[in-house]
Amino acid sequence: MCQRASALYLGASSTYISRAMHGFSYRNGSLYCEDVELAALAGEYGTPLYVYSAATILDHYRRLDTALAGVDHEVAYAVKANSNLAVLRLLAVEGAGFDIVSGGELFRVIQAGGDPAHCTFAGVGKTRREIVYALEQGIYSFNVESEEELRYINEVAGELAVIAPVAVRVNPNVDAKTHKYISTGKSENKFGVDITDIAGLYARASKELPNIRLRGLQMHIGSQLTSIAPFIEAVDKVAPLARQLKECHGIEFWSIGGGIGIIYKEALASGSAHWWENQAEPERPLTIEQYGAELVPRLKDLGLKILVEPGRFIVGNAGVLLTRCLYAKQGAAKTFRIVDAGMNDLIRPALYEGHHEIVPLLQPATDARIVMDVVGPICESGDFFCQNRELPDFKPGDYIALMSAGAYGFAMASNYNSRPLPAEVLVDGATACVVRQRQSLRDLIAGEC
Ligand code: LLP
C-alpha cells in the first residue's frame, strides 16, 4: 500500500521541519502536500480523499513540546481529533502520550504501538466494560467527571482487586469564548465537577474509596480557543487548588486540557512559516510560543507534572479533504458548485458553521472570482462547505481542496446516505501511503443481515 510517489517527486529536499512549513503550497501552479502533488493523488486514489502531512504533524507536536520545555510536562494527543492508526503511530514513536475518550480509542492507541501507561481516559459516560478494559491495560489515569463515576470506578477496581488511578475534572466556570457546542468549562456544561466541590470530593474519596489512587487533577475549558486570556484565567483560578491537592493528597499531575485554536481562514497565505503568522486581523490567534510563555511561569513552581491534551493544534492544519466538482448548477437565486464530498465526510461547516478555505488544486489562469455555494450530494440543505463565498471559478471535473480538515474531519465522518467512508493518505516527503482504504459497498453492509 505504501509507495514512493517518484513520478511526483520534484527533487526538492524535504526540509519542511527546518523551514517550519505547514506542508501545503503551490509549485508551478499545482498544490502540493510536502513533495507530493495533490492532483496526482486525487487522480490515483479517487475523491473524496483525506491527505495528511506527516512533517506538519510532527512539527506541531515538537513546537508545543518546545514551548513547554520550562516545566515537567507530557503532551497527551487528543485521539478524538484524528484517530487514524498511522497518525497515532507517528506520535507514539515521537513519544506522545494520548488522551482517550472510549475503549475504542484505547484499542486504537494500543494497535498503533502506544503505551497505555501514557493514556488518560476522559469522558462523562464511561461504561463498565470500558473501565475494566482500561484497568486491565494499566492506563495512567481516569479523568473522572462526577462523584457517581468516581464511586463506580472504585467499585469496579475493587472487584478486580486493583487500584484505579484517577484525576477529577474540575469545571472552573470560565468562558472559553468559542462556539457554544465546543465550550466545556462553564457551570452549565455537563463536564467536570464544580471548582468549589473539588476539595471536599478529594477528602471524601481518600477516606471512603480504598480502590482509588488520587493521582492528579484535570481541566479542559473548550476547543478552538483563539485567545490566550481564557487559558490564563482558568490556570490562575485553578492553580491554588492544584497546589492544595498536592499538599493534602499528594497528587502528581495537573492536566490543563487541550483547546489551542488554529487558523482556518487564509490557509494558504504565501511566504509564512505557519500561515497564521503573517496574518492581519481578524483571525490572528495565540501562537504556541505565546501559550508556553504565558503558562509555563504560572505552572513551573507547582512541582506537578503538567499534561496538555491538544488535538486540533497537532493535526488540524496538517490535513486537507480533496473533492471533485460534479456539476455547476445555476439556481434561481444562487450559483452552486456540487462536489463529490458531503457533510457525511466533513461535518464541521454544517454542525458549527465551521470555515474551511477552499482552493483549487490547479491554480486558474485568471484572478476572476465568482460568488458561489459549494455543496455536497447529501439530501439536506445543511450540506454545504461554504455559502455566498467569492472563489475562483471551477468547473465539473476540477479538483478542489478543503483546507484545515485534519482535525475532526474523518474522525466525525459517517455513512449517512449510505456513502462509503473516504480513503486517507499520509504523505511523508515524497512518499504517499494509503493509511485507510476507501470503504467498499460490501463494507457498508458488513455486520447486517
Ligand atoms: N481534552 C478534552 C477533555 C476534550 O474534550 C477535547 C476536545 C480535547 C482535549 C481536545 O481539544 P482540542 O485541542 O482538539 O481543541 N468536533 C469539534 C471539536 C470538539 C472538541 C471536543 N473535545 C470541532 O470540530 O470543532
Side-chain angles (χ1 to χ4, degrees):
M1 262 199 306
C2 249
Q3 55 189 260
R4 184 126 186 116
S6 51
L8 312 171
Y9 186 51
L10 286 188
S13 61
S14 287
T15 50
Y16 296 98
I17 292 167
S18 57
R19 295 202 327 253
M21 292 280 292
H22 52 66
F24 296 93
S25 57
Y26 284 106
R27 292 186 197 171
N28 300 323
S30 185
L31 190 61
Y32 274 67
C33 174
E34 304 194 21
D35 293 330
V36 174
E37 191 180 21
L38 288 170
L41 285 184
E44 185 163 359
Y45 299 116
T47 47
L49 183 72
Y50 275 98
V51 182
Y52 311 122
S53 157
T56 309
I57 294 172
L58 290 178
D59 181 40
H60 289 174
Y61 174 85
R62 288 171 186 157
R63 283 181 60 154
L64 176 55
D65 198 36
T66 304
L68 297 174
V71 64
D72 180 20
H73 70 276
E74 175 156 326
V75 177
Y77 167 65
V79 174
K80 63 173 81 68
N82 185 325
S83 57
N84 183 285
L85 290 184
V87 170
L88 300 181
R89 175 83 192 155
L90 205 60
L91 290 165
V93 169
E94 191 65 17
F98 296 94
D99 173 56
I100 57 169
V101 288
S102 68
E105 286 192 352
L106 177 55
F107 178 72
R108 281 184 171 277
V109 168
I110 293 169
Q111 293 302 306
D115 182 359
H118 288 266
C119 285
T120 51
F121 190 167
V124 295
K126 301 174 191 79
T127 64
R128 180 187 168 87
R129 184 186 287 209
E130 289 177 319
I131 295 167
V132 169
Y133 180 45
L135 285 170
E136 285 169 353
Q137 298 301 321
I139 62 161
Y140 179 64
S141 180
F142 290 96
N143 290 340
V144 173
E145 305 253 7
S146 64
E147 177 155 0
E148 294 78 356
E149 183 195 334
L150 189 61
R151 290 185 180 277
Y152 189 57
I153 291 174
N154 176 66
E155 193 182 309
V156 176
E159 287 167 28
L160 298 184
V162 294
I163 301 292
V166 301
V168 176
R169 176 171 177 170
V170 52
N171 184 327
N173 194 22
V174 166
D175 187 354
K177 300 200 166 54
T178 183
H179 189 282
K180 63 177 182 207
Y181 287 1
I182 51 177
S183 179
T184 55
K186 293 276 287 168
S187 308
E188 63 259 33
N189 299 129
K190 70 179 174 184
F191 299 99
V193 173
D194 194 85
I195 187 164
T196 54
D197 296 335
I198 293 277
L201 178 57
Y202 276 63
R204 282 196 297 286
S206 69
K207 273 204 217 95
E208 298 167 23
L209 305 179
N211 309 310
I212 290 292
R213 173 180 167 201
L214 295 167
R215 192 169 207 175
L217 178 69
Q218 198 265 352
M219 73 179 192
H220 171 76
I221 57 172
S223 194
Q224 182 56 13
L225 275 68
T226 51
S227 141
I228 188 71
F231 285 118
I232 292 177
E233 189 184 340
V235 164
D236 284 347
K237 200 162 174 186
V238 175
L241 176 67
R243 196 185 295 278
Q244 180 192 343
L245 295 177
K246 182 179 180 238
E247 279 160 18
C248 301
H249 301 286
I251 65 165
E252 68 184 35
F253 80 92
W254 176 17
S255 172
I256 60 169
I260 304 158
I262 64 167
I263 281 285
Y264 280 101
K265 290 192 178 147
E266 307 272 343
L268 275 176
S270 60
S272 138
H274 283 267
W275 58 61
W276 57 86
E277 281 165 357
N278 290 342
Q279 287 303 301
E281 297 297 335
E283 202 177 22
R284 193 197 173 101
L286 73 160
T287 63
I288 202 62
E289 289 73 22
Q290 185 192 6
Y291 178 84
E294 290 285 357
L295 298 188
V296 166
R298 296 175 148 84
L299 297 166
K300 69 177 190 324
D301 295 333
L302 292 171
L304 290 166
K305 180 172 177 165
I306 300 301
L307 265 58
V308 284
E309 303 165 3
R312 192 187 318 262
F313 175 75
I314 304 286
V315 290
N317 282 332
V320 295
L321 175 59
L322 307 185
T323 179
R324 189 164 158 268
C325 180
L326 297 173
Y327 300 104
K329 174 171 176 174
Q330 188 55 57
K334 280 192 158 191
T335 300
F336 296 101
R337 292 292 177 269
I338 300 164
V339 298
D340 67 2
M343 65 189 277
N344 70 299
D345 303 303
L346 176 66
I347 202 172
R348 300 195 70 265
L351 196 54
Y352 319 107
E353 296 177 331
H355 179 102
H356 289 265
E357 287 288 300
I358 297 176
V359 298
L361 293 198
L362 299 177
Q363 277 176 323
T366 71
D367 288 340
R369 291 174 159 252
I370 62 168
V371 175
M372 63 171 88
D373 283 18
V374 177
V375 301
I378 303 275
C379 304
E380 297 211 25
S381 294
D383 181 27
F384 59 82
F385 294 117
C386 71
Q387 291 179 305
N388 302 321
R389 196 183 296 176
E390 214 179 69
L391 289 173
D393 194 6
F394 58 89
K395 302 270 182 317
D398 290 349
Y399 292 118
I400 56 170
L402 296 159
M403 304 301 294
S404 312
Y408 308 107
F410 186 94
M412 296 180 79
S414 77
N415 288 125
Y416 187 41
N417 278 204
S418 285
R419 289 166 49 83
L421 291 173
E424 294 173 284
V425 168
L426 181 67
V427 169
D428 184 4
T431 305
C433 293
V434 175
V435 292
R436 182 178 172 120
Q437 301 277 5
R438 183 177 306 284
Q439 272 188 332
S440 66
L441 295 181
R442 283 261 147 231
D443 293 334
L444 276 183
I445 55 167
E448 291 182 38
C449 61

